[in-house]
Amino acid sequence: MNPAPDRLTFRGFEIIRLLDGTFRVDGGAMFGVVPRTLWASKAAPDRENRITLALNCYLVRTPDATILLDTGVGPDIGRRYTDFYSFDRRPGLLESLAGLGLAPEAVDIVVNSHLHFDHCGGNTRKTTAGTWEPAFPRARYIVQRGEWDQAMHPVGRDKPSYLPARLKPLADSGQLMLLDGNGPIGQGAEAVIVPGHTASHQGVRVAAAGRTFFYAADAIPTAAHIGLDSIMSYDLYPVETFDSKKALLERAEAEDWVLGFSHDLAVPFGRLRRVGKRLDVVAAS
Ligand SMILES: [Zn+2]
């Protein structure tokens, strides 16, 4: 099977899926209340009931900026997480960027959908002294204020998902820009709150030449999550995910958006297609 194309072009805009490798998680946790007999036909589990997921990042090249959406788990996640999730960073994000001939200095803007460790691990890098510094030295990092506050002071159920010491240097370096809700990111690109996975989880909409790309991040982690009931057990506010996903899908169908998924290995770009009452995803390019 030929893999779906990893690149989408609008006039003057280019969007490229970059991998930061893959990992494995429990299939049941990924599909919430959906029974195994239904999800297993879309995502084949291994003997330990785990499914393979991508760590997708998207590079958006507009006429005036190079924007990176999410940064994967990064190279320094450590043994405990690697053993548990079987992270396989071949290729890692920086290798994926280098494959396009781009150094970290080429990135103007980094946008994090949220700050769970598998979406911002590449934001910073470890120095020889064991401290952390921004991995993209010229970039502005755009994060929702509510998400930043949660990540700096993690509490409760979400606590293991945040690694604040690795993020704080972004504020110290002056590269952090906090948004309060929806807001512009650059020419043709805007942040859009899609709450549910976390309270301030955001997607990114890129619109140009009459076409729209929407990175829904963990609101729709794979094409198999297009069904409204397919909501991850990891979501803090699943009822909000249901509502925000429903609104997003209605608009995406009406306006024929191309969707990007945070964790789909086989389908980096998808378009919605209605089959009777059901929505389906077809690979898009
Ligand atoms: Zn995720």
Side-chain angles (χ1 to χ4, degrees):
M1 192 181 91
N2 287 331
D6 273 12
R7 192 180 295 246
L8 190 73
T9 47
F10 302 164
R11 197 185 325 145
F13 284 66
E14 189 176 30
I15 301 165
I16 303 163
R17 186 270 295 270
L18 298 176
L19 273 175
D20 189 48
T22 61
F23 65 120
R24 287 174 168 256
V25 294
D26 183 84
M30 278 306 286
F31 288 93
V33 300
V34 176
R36 186 182 195 273
T37 44
L38 294 182
W39 63 254
S41 62
K42 296 179 184 168
D46 66 11
R47 264 189 305 187
E48 292 171 61
N49 210 42
R50 299 180 308 171
I51 60 174
T52 299
L53 296 173
L55 290 153
N56 286 340
C57 312
Y58 289 85
L59 192 74
V60 180
R61 301 171 98 172
T62 77
D64 67 353
T66 296
I67 306 169
L68 182 61
L69 312 182
D70 280 342
T71 62
V73 73
D76 301 301
I77 191 61
R79 188 83 177 266
R80 191 162 64 91
Y81 286 85
T82 300
D83 288 350
F84 191 76
Y85 291 103
S86 299
F87 287 114
D88 181 351
R89 295 186 64 260
R90 291 174 292 182
L93 173 60
L94 294 185
E95 284 107 65
S96 297
L97 265 178
L100 299 171
L102 297 177
E105 287 75 12
V107 175
D108 300 304
I109 298 169
V110 173
V111 184
N112 294 116
S113 59
H114 61 302
L115 295 171
H116 285 171
F117 63 83
D118 60 319
H119 290 260
C120 66
N123 278 17
T124 51
R125 63 185 167 207
K126 203 171 192 174
T127 66
T128 45
T131 57
W132 300 88
E133 64 181 14
F136 300 96
R138 289 183 46 256
R140 194 163 12 114
Y141 289 74
I142 299 182
V143 178
Q144 286 292 327
R145 187 183 308 276
E147 185 68 24
W148 180 262
D149 292 345
Q150 176 78 5
M152 287 302 105
H153 307 285
V155 287
R157 197 188 129 171
D158 223 13
K159 197 169 181 181
S161 300
Y162 292 112
L163 301 171
R166 299 172 178 220
L167 292 168
K168 201 170 167 296
L170 299 173
D172 301 339
S173 73
Q175 288 170 262
L176 182 68
M177 185 182 147
L178 297 176
L179 286 182
D180 294 293
N182 296 356
I185 289 169
Q187 186 184 335
E190 71 170 327
V192 180
I193 295 282
V194 190
H197 183 64
T198 64
S200 302
H201 178 271
Q202 66 181 352
V204 174
R205 189 153 70 101
V206 180
R211 297 183 70 188
T212 298
F213 165 77
F214 195 94
Y215 173 53
D218 278 356
I220 311 178
T222 77
H225 285 82
I226 222 75
L228 286 175
D229 289 331
S230 295
I231 290 173
M232 293 188 282
S233 301
Y234 304 108
D235 283 20
L236 286 184
Y237 311 100
V239 174
E240 279 198 53
T241 303
F242 183 97
D243 291 341
S244 49
K245 190 161 111 175
K246 187 164 184 284
L248 186 116
L249 289 172
E250 279 168 7
R251 195 158 168 210
E253 185 190 10
E255 299 178 11
D256 195 24
W257 291 0
V258 174
L259 297 174
F261 308 105
S262 49
H263 295 300
D264 200 311
L265 187 57
V267 186
F269 297 105
R271 189 171 260 130
L272 298 174
R273 187 183 57 181
R274 184 159 288 280
V275 187
K277 281 190 170 175
R278 203 167 50 81
L279 271 183
D280 209 353
V281 174
V282 287
S285 59

